[in-house]
């Protein structure tokens, strides 16, 4: 009952907490909605289990500025299991794995046990996706913002949309870690539960198609935040960046705990209390690829920042796109980790919740 209640309170999520498989579509085959998987040739695994008022704990794997570094999000309000329950559910999983004919790779018992032992909890029940499981809206014009890149840093960190649980990692190009040519001057990240649809041509922004990612946020507050920190912010404006023909929205926002938050409510207030900031943001994102020999990015909407109302429209539309993406995925037999039937795993989950 508790699980059902939590789902009913979640406003942004259209489906239950169960994962499901997605039929192949060329523009979304690299997206992952947070369920552990072993590779399957024709299906991608997705889940929609947004948490109502999540209590999120950040955990790190690997060393910063290495290829293996990941920042994961764990629901800190989940139920702890006794060691007996822990062993029992592990044996159930291994039994189901051994009986399931869809699995394509040998799964090492030790790897599965280590997968489930972080902080004495079962991660596939408690780990969450910063993209899909954190609620977007908090009410009264306030939104959750997930920090990917702290201000005054240059490592290009981003949510890995094609990995299990979409952790934050440093972007890679040609096998090398990516860095901006200079520090970014604001906290940078994403709005959860948003998606810029690559099949939608925006007639208001030169017919540009979405970039297939969550909506980016530039938080202009004075404090340097941490990777994975979740802030309550209010949007102030929007910049319509066009990157190699793709629309890549930049929502300008400020954290509610910033000393100047009460003073700014729209783009005009930003110019008054943060003079030159909107121009600096536009110019930074326009020029950051030039040192790598690429052309400058362009901006639509008259090369200016749109107002708060327009920013809210962008957020609403991209949240709807995300919801449609999730809803359209639920068209075939649901599968969970290692290709297990949802009928098998549902019984196991309900027993321990």
């Amino acid at each position: 009952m508790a699980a059902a209640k939590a789902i009913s309170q979640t406003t942004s999520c259209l489906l239950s907490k169960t994962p499901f498989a997605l039929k192949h579509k060329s523009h979304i085959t690299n997206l992952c909605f947070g369920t552990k998987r072993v590779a399957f040739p024709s299906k991608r695994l997705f889940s929609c289990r947004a948490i109502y008022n999540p209590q999120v704990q950040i955990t790190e794997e690997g060393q910063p500025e290495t290829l293996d570094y990941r920042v994961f999000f764990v629901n800190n309000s989940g139920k702890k299991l006794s060691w007996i329950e822990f062993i029992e559910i592990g044996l159930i999983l291994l039994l189901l794995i051994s009986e399931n004919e869809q699995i394509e790779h040998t799964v090492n018992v030790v790897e599965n046990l280590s997968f489930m032992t972080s902080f004495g909890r079962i991660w596939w029940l408690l780990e969450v996706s910063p993209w899909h499981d954190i609620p977007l809206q908090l009410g009264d014009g306030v939104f959750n913002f997930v920090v990917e890149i702290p201000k005054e840093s240059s490592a290009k960190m981003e949510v890995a949309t094609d990995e299990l649980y979409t952790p934050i990692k440093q972007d890679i190009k040609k096998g090398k870690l990516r860095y901006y040519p200079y520090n970014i001057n604001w906290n940078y990240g994403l709005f959860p539960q948003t998606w810029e649809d690559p099949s939608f041509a925006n007639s208001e922004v030169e017919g540009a198609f979405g970039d297939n990612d969550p909506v980016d946020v530039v938080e202009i507050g004075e404090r340097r935040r941490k990777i994975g920190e979740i802030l309550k912010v209010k949007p102030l404006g929007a910049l319509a960046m066009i990157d190699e023909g793709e629309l890549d929205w930049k929502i300008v926002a400020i954290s509610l705990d910033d000393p100047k938050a009460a003073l700014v409510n729209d783009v005009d207030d930003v110019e008054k209390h943060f003079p030159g900031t909107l121009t600096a943001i536009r110019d930074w994102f326009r020029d950051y690829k030039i040192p790598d020999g690429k052309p400058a990015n362009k901006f639509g909407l008259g090369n200016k920042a749109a107002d708060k109302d327009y920013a809210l429209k962008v957020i609403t539309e991209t949240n709807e796109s995300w919801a449609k993406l999730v809803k359209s995925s639920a068209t075939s037999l649901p599968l969970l980790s290692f290709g297990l039937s949802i009928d098998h795993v549902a019984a196991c989950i309900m027993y321990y919740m």
Side-chain angles (χ1 to χ4, degrees):
M1 292 296 292
K5 182 179 180 180
I7 296 172
S8 67
Q9 289 176 314
T10 301
T11 57
S12 299
C13 184
L14 301 182
L15 303 175
S16 70
K17 295 167 75 175
T18 55
F20 46 86
L22 173 65
K23 293 183 178 179
H24 179 79
K25 292 184 180 181
S26 60
H27 62 281
I28 53 177
T29 53
N30 289 326
L31 303 181
C32 180
F33 274 57
T35 300
K36 181 173 176 61
R37 65 174 182 270
V38 175
F40 292 91
S42 61
K43 294 180 179 179
R44 305 290 295 182
L45 298 186
F46 292 74
S47 72
C48 183
R49 47 175 198 158
I51 301 168
Y52 182 74
N53 291 333
Q55 299 177 29
V56 174
Q57 176 178 323
I58 304 301
T59 65
E60 297 176 290
E61 291 187 5
Q63 295 298 317
E65 300 189 53
T66 66
L67 296 174
D68 296 329
Y69 182 65
R70 299 291 186 275
V71 177
F72 288 94
F73 293 66
V74 180
N75 177 16
N76 203 31
S77 61
K79 174 187 176 183
K80 292 184 179 180
L81 305 179
S82 69
W83 281 107
I84 294 177
E85 292 174 323
F86 174 77
I87 293 171
E88 286 177 345
I89 198 169
L91 292 175
I92 291 172
L93 281 173
L94 293 176
L95 177 62
L96 293 177
I97 291 167
S98 65
E99 293 181 347
N100 194 286
E101 297 179 355
Q102 297 184 44
I103 189 166
E104 297 187 354
H105 297 277
T106 301
V107 181
N108 185 281
V109 173
V110 176
E111 290 178 354
N112 278 282
L113 290 177
S114 65
F115 163 68
M116 295 186 293
T117 54
S118 181
F119 302 104
R121 302 183 182 196
I122 295 180
W123 277 52
W124 63 269
L125 285 178
L126 302 181
E127 195 162 356
V128 300
S129 162
W131 180 17
H132 303 297
D133 297 332
I134 304 299
L136 170 63
Q137 301 186 47
L138 296 174
D140 297 325
V142 179
F143 298 82
N144 275 323
F145 157 58
V146 181
V147 179
E148 295 170 302
I149 305 174
K151 67 187 299 184
E152 306 307 331
S153 64
S154 63
K156 193 176 186 302
M157 309 298 295
E158 63 181 17
V159 163
T161 59
D162 60 347
E163 292 188 12
L164 165 65
Y165 296 120
T166 65
I168 296 175
K169 70 171 186 177
Q170 189 166 351
D171 192 24
I172 301 170
K173 186 174 183 179
K174 296 181 180 180
K176 295 183 179 181
L177 297 172
R178 292 187 66 187
Y179 294 86
Y180 291 121
Y182 30 74
N183 286 350
I184 190 168
N185 306 124
W186 312 273
N187 296 302
Y188 187 54
L190 74 141
F191 275 139
Q193 298 185 343
T194 60
W195 181 56
E196 298 194 46
D197 186 349
S199 69
F200 174 70
N202 193 312
S203 59
E204 297 178 1
V205 189
E206 303 181 17
F209 291 86
D211 71 349
N212 201 28
D213 280 324
V215 170
D216 296 328
V217 180
V218 183
E219 196 274 320
I220 62 174
E222 67 176 20
R223 290 176 53 191
R224 184 179 190 270
R225 305 296 182 152
K226 298 179 180 179
I227 297 175
E229 192 170 352
I230 300 174
L231 305 180
K232 297 177 181 179
V233 302
K234 57 180 177 181
L236 305 170
L239 286 161
M241 190 177 90
I242 303 173
D243 182 357
E244 298 182 7
E246 293 182 336
L247 180 55
D248 187 3
W249 288 106
K250 309 297 179 188
I251 304 297
V252 180
I254 190 167
S255 178
L256 295 188
D257 64 0
D258 188 84
K260 292 185 178 180
L263 302 176
V264 289
N265 294 289
D266 215 321
V267 287
D268 293 338
D269 298 327
V270 177
E271 287 295 344
K272 180 179 179 181
H273 297 283
F274 295 84
T277 295
L278 294 174
T279 299
I281 293 172
R282 183 198 62 197
D283 292 352
W284 194 99
F285 283 101
R286 181 192 65 196
D287 299 337
Y288 79 91
K289 290 187 175 182
I290 293 177
D292 293 330
K294 294 185 177 181
N297 290 319
K298 300 191 303 179
F299 285 85
L301 304 180
N303 209 37
K304 297 180 180 179
D307 63 14
K308 177 180 180 177
D309 287 341
Y310 199 98
L312 292 174
K313 180 171 82 79
V314 170
I315 296 169
T316 298
E317 291 175 350
T318 54
N319 176 240
E320 291 173 352
S321 294
W322 172 85
K324 290 177 182 177
L325 171 68
V326 174
K327 186 176 181 180
S328 68
S329 313
T331 56
S332 56
L333 178 65
L335 301 173
L336 193 55
S337 46
F338 317 118
L340 299 179
S341 161
I342 195 63
D343 293 330
H344 291 147
V345 181
C348 190
I349 293 175
M350 293 304 295
Y351 179 80
Y352 285 98
M353 291 193 62

